[in-house]
Amino acid sequence: MSEAGLSHLGVAADEERVYRCALRSPGLGIESLAPAAGMDVEELRTVLERLEAAGMVTVAEREGVVPTDPFVVTERLVESRLTELQAEIQRVIAARHVVGVLLDDQRDGRRQSPPDGVERVEGPDRVRARIDELAFFARHELLSVQPNGPLTAAAIEGAKESDERALRRGLRMRTILRSDALHDPRTAEYLTELSARGARIRTMDGPLERMLIFDRTTALVPIDPRETSRGALVVHQPGMISSLIALFERFWCAGEDLDQEHLTEIERQVLKTMVRVEKDEAGARELGISVRTYRGHVASLLRRLSATHRAQGVLAARDRGWL
């Protein structure tokens, strides 16, 4: 145990000091243990009462102060601390309802929705900021249609953090793209990562209309679909939202789920290397990537193959025709 190890588990400094002294000299009486712990007898008695209540020591007249096994103590403390943290997390999650109230206050103070329920936002920077704001406050679902095929590196970089944060928060995410988006390795890899994290992604041929729909209450569409840099319309009007949701669902029904069998080029190379090379260091060196990156791809492949080890993964890959 490090000097600060037990403090992270809710043990006070004086309690840890006494427990450590008891471990070094088990069976000492209180009078003998007090100077070793740097305390007077009464102070030590008070600390021992807390330690005994926590199950960390036993104080007996004949046996003296007997410390509980460190493994047992640590396991109990970790379990107790985890229970406290889980309760705290639940309290934090339960407080999310405050967001809606605060957002209403913010809207009342900063802007009122136009009578027709449509807000005009001009300029790429302002549009991006508005999207970030809406995504941050979304609590249930995000629907999106991206009609322009492969995503640029800048678009992926700009969306990656917010997408991952939304999925971690439990937001349901459904995205529709054109089928040719998967022809771009960078886009395909990004979509595969999102899918692995829980996003549902479909692709389809034919014309698509760009849109983002947040919690089925707010939507964002371009002012001019042919020139998206002009800005966007933020729609609040319920009737218009319903029409956009219906259009999204038609696209969704016409699309095909992201091919879970789809492998990026680097995944194909890693899979082939796994067959020939046993050590990760050698495989990473052969592909010219870091060992950490190589192991990350291996772990991802095993998850997708529902394999618990590499030999099983290779067999499963052959069964699927990946090799």
Side-chain angles (χ1 to χ4, degrees):
M1 289 178 290
S2 66
E3 289 300 322
L6 294 182
S7 66
H8 298 296
L9 299 176
V11 179
D14 56 352
E15 295 170 347
E16 181 171 354
R17 185 163 74 252
V18 171
Y19 178 65
R20 286 174 179 272
C21 287
L23 284 174
R24 298 187 190 104
S25 304
L28 285 181
I30 294 178
E31 289 76 9
S32 300
L33 186 61
M39 300 178 179
D40 60 44
V41 172
E42 288 306 313
E43 183 182 5
L44 178 60
R45 288 184 190 278
T46 301
V47 175
L48 285 173
E49 287 178 3
R50 300 202 302 265
L51 290 175
E52 196 166 23
M56 296 177 66
V57 300
T58 300
V59 182
E61 184 175 346
R62 292 186 177 181
E63 290 81 7
V65 178
V66 180
T68 306
D69 183 271
F71 179 80
V72 174
V73 167
T74 303
E75 287 299 307
R76 286 176 179 170
L77 290 172
V78 168
E79 183 176 352
S80 176
R81 185 63 178 143
L82 286 175
T83 300
E84 292 174 1
L85 290 173
Q86 287 171 350
E88 179 66 17
I89 289 170
Q90 291 303 315
R91 287 194 292 272
V92 171
I93 291 174
R96 275 184 171 169
H97 72 277
V98 177
V99 170
V101 177
L102 296 177
L103 184 55
D104 289 340
D105 289 343
Q106 180 193 48
R107 285 173 175 164
D108 288 341
R110 281 186 5 185
R111 60 176 176 267
Q112 295 292 330
S113 294
D116 61 358
V118 177
E119 172 191 344
R120 189 183 182 98
V121 181
E122 297 185 358
D125 291 341
R126 291 186 61 197
V127 170
R128 182 72 256 173
R130 195 73 174 92
I131 291 174
D132 289 342
E133 179 187 12
L134 291 168
F136 180 82
F137 285 112
R139 286 172 284 170
H140 306 293
E141 184 181 51
L142 171 59
L143 310 177
S144 66
V145 179
Q146 304 291 340
N148 292 339
L151 303 174
T152 65
I156 292 174
E157 188 62 29
K160 190 171 187 178
E161 183 177 351
S162 62
D163 285 346
E164 292 178 353
R165 183 171 59 241
L167 290 169
R168 284 198 303 270
R169 283 167 37 218
L171 206 68
R172 296 187 299 275
M173 185 180 295
R174 286 194 286 161
T175 299
I176 304 171
L177 302 96
R178 270 190 5 216
S179 300
D180 61 359
L182 297 178
H183 297 169
D184 174 55
R186 181 171 51 204
T187 300
E189 184 172 5
Y190 174 59
L191 296 176
T192 300
E193 288 177 4
L194 281 184
S195 179
R197 291 175 182 270
R200 294 189 62 191
I201 297 169
R202 287 189 176 182
T203 60
M204 64 170 287
D205 297 319
L208 291 169
E209 299 293 334
R210 183 184 297 276
M211 69 180 75
L212 291 168
I213 305 174
F214 304 89
D215 285 344
R216 295 180 174 250
T217 59
T218 307
L220 188 143
V221 296
I223 292 174
D224 183 349
R226 296 165 298 181
E227 191 178 344
T228 56
S229 61
R230 286 188 56 193
L233 300 175
V234 181
V235 181
H236 307 280
Q237 208 278 333
M240 299 174 70
I241 295 291
S242 296
S243 296
L244 288 170
I245 292 173
L247 179 60
F248 176 90
E249 296 296 352
R250 284 200 295 273
F251 288 150
W252 186 260
C253 290
E256 296 183 359
D257 283 319
L258 177 68
D259 186 1
Q260 295 299 319
E261 309 295 292
H262 177 81
L263 293 177
T264 63
E265 183 57 33
I266 185 62
E267 286 176 326
R268 292 185 187 280
Q269 294 177 13
V270 169
L271 190 56
K272 292 177 181 178
T273 305
M274 284 171 56
V275 178
R276 301 192 308 271
V277 178
E278 292 186 6
K279 293 187 176 181
D280 293 340
E281 293 78 5
R285 187 166 53 250
E286 181 176 319
L287 298 179
I289 59 178
S290 70
V291 176
R292 181 177 180 181
T293 299
Y294 182 85
R295 287 174 176 164
H297 285 303
V298 170
S300 176
L301 286 166
L302 292 180
R303 282 196 303 271
R304 292 172 63 187
L305 290 163
S306 300
T308 56
H309 53 78
R310 299 185 187 205
Q312 185 183 30
V314 169
L315 291 175
R318 283 176 176 158
D319 289 342
R320 294 194 187 190
W322 290 9
L323 288 171

